[in-house]
Amino acid sequence: MQQLTQQEARRLALSRQRLDDWQRPLPIDRHTILDLIRRLGCVQLDPIRHVERTHLLVLWSRLGLFDLDELEQLRFTERAVFEYWAHAASLVLTEEWPVHNWMMRREAARKEAAWFEAHREVFVSLLAEIKAQLEQGPKLSRELDLEPGPQQNGRWWSGSYVGRLLQTMWTRGEVMVYGRPSNNHRLWGMADQFWPDWTPRENWDDEQVTRFAAQKAVRALGVATERQIKQHYTRGRYPKMKSALKKLLKEELLLPVTVRGSEGELPGPWYLHREDVGLLAEIQAGKWHGRTTLLSPFDNLICDRDRTEQLFDFHYRIEIYVPRKKRQYGYYVLPILHQDQLIGRVDAALDRQANRLRIDNLYAETDAPGDAATVPAIGQAVAELAEFLGAEAVVWGNLPEIWSDVSDL
């Protein structure tokens, strides 16, 4: 059984997720973006724009400057990616439709929620009316011409149930998001009119879904335990996992490995995909180069907080919902990736009125380096983020002594 060090496991994950010093093609076009999403499996969506929307930050961390119109073309013109559940609501690949359609079919067969059953006759009628209107062409939810529905707590529903019905229809694969034209609001349309002609339309069973998704997750993670696989890609959607892993191991598509930390082997078993044996050999031979960038709080590399702590010795929790006075680091904090370590955190905000990127606080981990190469690398990463956001200036706030010169660069 092959053994990896904790550092080699980190480097393999970084290479698989394009967070190493890989050679970016120029110009970066939609094919480059699509290839990146293909490697990651999914890119989480989130409405918070304190700095920038998370899916854009995830792509920027790996690609640097890219044309947002190229991404929009992939999403809403070519429809090579679409919005659906993965880690959470995410951009996923149309070419992987069968693995996501498994969830759509399961949700369509699920018993209706209590709120639906309480007014079944009304909601069935509303669903039929929503479908009839969307079949005429995509619409924002507020553009749907619907009669008032049932009362709840003495107040008319005023559209709140429309959102819940659309969400239900989306999860079932009956409607899809055709665009985001107005303040990130979703343009809804019928799913059967959405898919490109080349969309694979096979209905996969439990075994096929997990066989595909488990391999996808392991490759995106480099090496992974069973629990980490379940937390990644199609989170919580791995039916018959034990059986699938057993067959993948027997076929030697997945290989058992161990990961050695500073205090002994990390709890496993761990799995490596056969396609990444060569990449691991290069890393173990010293052919690996890292770089410095900032990560979204919802980045694929750190979305499994327990794995992040285990491999990177980095404890991270997002504090958006923590009261201001109880926050340890800040509302929207971007981890700093430097080479193969997470060395600090940036408490950042984009002031759109003044067109400035504010770094309110910069935090260094206890063992963070402060050498002549690290400090300018952090400054450069912040400057590149500001350029991507279109900010004309960076305003520095509180700095740790070890990186106090970063604002002078």
Side-chain angles (χ1 to χ4, degrees):
M1 185 180 296
Q2 189 164 5
Q3 186 176 82
L4 289 76
T5 66
Q6 189 177 7
Q7 183 183 62
E8 289 165 351
R10 288 197 302 267
R11 290 182 171 183
L12 182 57
L14 292 168
S15 291
R16 285 298 307 154
Q17 295 201 19
R18 292 298 195 203
L19 286 166
D20 59 350
D21 191 22
W22 66 292
Q23 295 298 312
R24 294 166 188 77
L26 293 175
I28 294 172
D29 59 17
R30 64 186 184 281
H31 303 294
T32 311
I33 298 170
L34 182 61
D35 181 64
L36 174 58
I37 298 173
R38 188 177 285 127
R39 290 177 74 97
L40 297 175
C42 61
V43 179
Q44 185 171 333
L45 297 164
D46 189 85
I48 296 170
R49 204 179 176 214
H50 195 68
V51 175
E52 185 49 279
R53 302 203 192 282
T54 187
H55 65 287
L56 300 180
L57 291 176
V58 169
L59 298 177
W60 165 80
S61 294
R62 293 153 173 83
L63 299 174
L65 289 176
F66 68 95
D67 188 344
L68 272 59
D69 289 339
E70 293 282 296
L71 176 62
E72 295 303 285
Q73 183 170 343
L74 279 177
R75 295 176 68 181
F76 303 126
T77 303
E78 298 179 11
R79 298 175 187 169
V81 296
F82 66 100
E83 298 187 21
Y84 197 64
W85 293 108
H87 294 164
S90 302
L91 295 179
V92 296
L93 293 153
T94 302
E95 65 193 47
E96 295 175 2
W97 184 89
V99 77
H100 300 294
N101 175 253
W102 178 89
M103 180 176 179
M104 296 173 189
R105 288 183 285 121
R106 186 188 68 171
E107 290 300 314
R110 187 188 293 273
K111 183 180 177 181
E112 299 287 6
W115 64 268
F116 188 102
E117 291 292 350
H119 302 283
R120 167 172 279 277
E121 184 175 343
V122 172
F123 289 138
V124 168
S125 176
L126 282 170
L127 281 172
E129 182 58 30
I130 290 171
K131 289 180 181 179
Q133 293 192 34
L134 291 184
E135 283 173 354
Q136 304 305 311
K139 289 180 171 56
L140 298 170
S141 61
R142 65 173 179 265
E143 295 174 332
L144 293 167
D145 184 18
L146 302 171
E147 293 296 322
Q151 286 183 317
Q152 185 179 41
N153 299 326
R155 298 177 61 187
W156 287 102
W157 62 311
S158 67
S160 63
Y161 279 116
V162 172
R164 295 173 80 171
L165 289 171
L166 285 168
Q167 193 79 2
T168 297
M169 295 169 74
W170 174 59
T171 304
R172 292 174 175 176
E174 297 171 0
V175 299
M176 283 291 131
V177 178
Y178 276 66
R180 295 271 187 167
S182 174
N183 196 28
N184 206 43
H185 293 158
R186 290 176 285 190
L187 183 68
W188 295 103
M190 296 305 297
D192 58 7
Q193 300 169 11
F194 178 87
W195 306 112
D197 292 340
W198 52 263
T199 305
R201 303 301 289 267
E202 300 92 348
N203 287 337
W204 285 0
D205 60 23
D206 291 0
E207 184 175 343
Q208 288 173 300
V209 165
T210 299
R211 179 183 177 86
F212 179 89
Q215 292 182 81
K216 187 85 175 183
V218 171
R219 295 215 68 194
L221 293 168
V223 291
T225 64
E226 180 180 341
R227 182 197 170 280
Q228 291 168 2
I229 294 169
K230 290 179 178 179
Q231 287 292 104
H232 208 71
Y233 185 43
T234 51
R235 181 176 293 167
R237 287 155 49 190
Y238 288 89
K240 299 184 179 179
M241 180 66 151
K242 298 288 186 184
S243 173
L245 285 179
K246 185 176 180 180
K247 290 181 180 179
L248 290 168
L249 287 166
K250 184 178 181 180
E251 296 169 29
E252 297 186 346
L253 286 169
L254 294 186
L255 307 173
V257 297
T258 60
V259 179
R260 187 180 72 252
S262 58
E263 298 179 1
E265 285 189 10
L266 302 181
W270 295 78
Y271 304 106
L272 167 72
H273 199 278
R274 184 173 65 192
E275 294 296 320
D276 292 321
V277 170
L279 176 59
L280 175 60
E282 291 182 2
I283 291 170
Q284 291 179 324
K287 298 178 182 179
W288 189 88
H289 300 281
R291 59 192 182 88
T292 304
T293 191
L294 309 178
L295 302 178
S296 159
F298 305 103
D299 194 277
N300 297 54
L301 184 73
I302 60 170
C303 62
D304 183 343
R305 310 303 192 201
D306 292 338
R307 173 185 162 93
T308 302
E309 192 163 353
Q310 184 180 47
L311 286 186
F312 289 87
D313 301 314
F314 187 80
H315 180 83
Y316 182 79
R317 298 294 185 273
I318 194 164
E319 298 181 296
I320 290 171
Y321 304 108
V322 176
R324 181 187 297 270
K325 292 183 179 180
K326 294 184 178 181
R327 290 175 193 150
Q328 183 177 3
Y329 296 108
Y331 177 82
Y332 201 85
V333 174
L334 310 177
I336 304 170
L337 173 67
H338 177 66
Q339 299 297 315
D340 60 14
Q341 294 281 2
L342 295 169
I343 64 169
R345 307 157 202 253
V346 177
D347 175 18
L350 179 60
D351 183 342
R352 289 179 170 81
Q353 286 190 334
N355 203 22
R356 302 182 304 179
L357 176 61
R358 293 199 332 261
I359 307 300
D360 295 330
N361 297 284
L362 184 64
Y363 301 98
E365 293 296 285
T366 303
D367 56 351
D371 54 83
T374 301
V375 177
I378 294 171
Q380 181 64 26
V382 171
E384 289 173 359
L385 176 60
E387 182 182 8
F388 175 66
L389 299 174
E392 295 177 353
V394 175
V395 179
W396 296 91
N398 299 315
L399 303 175
E401 184 176 351
I402 192 173
W403 296 336
S404 59
D405 294 340
V406 71
S407 61
D408 299 330
L409 300 173

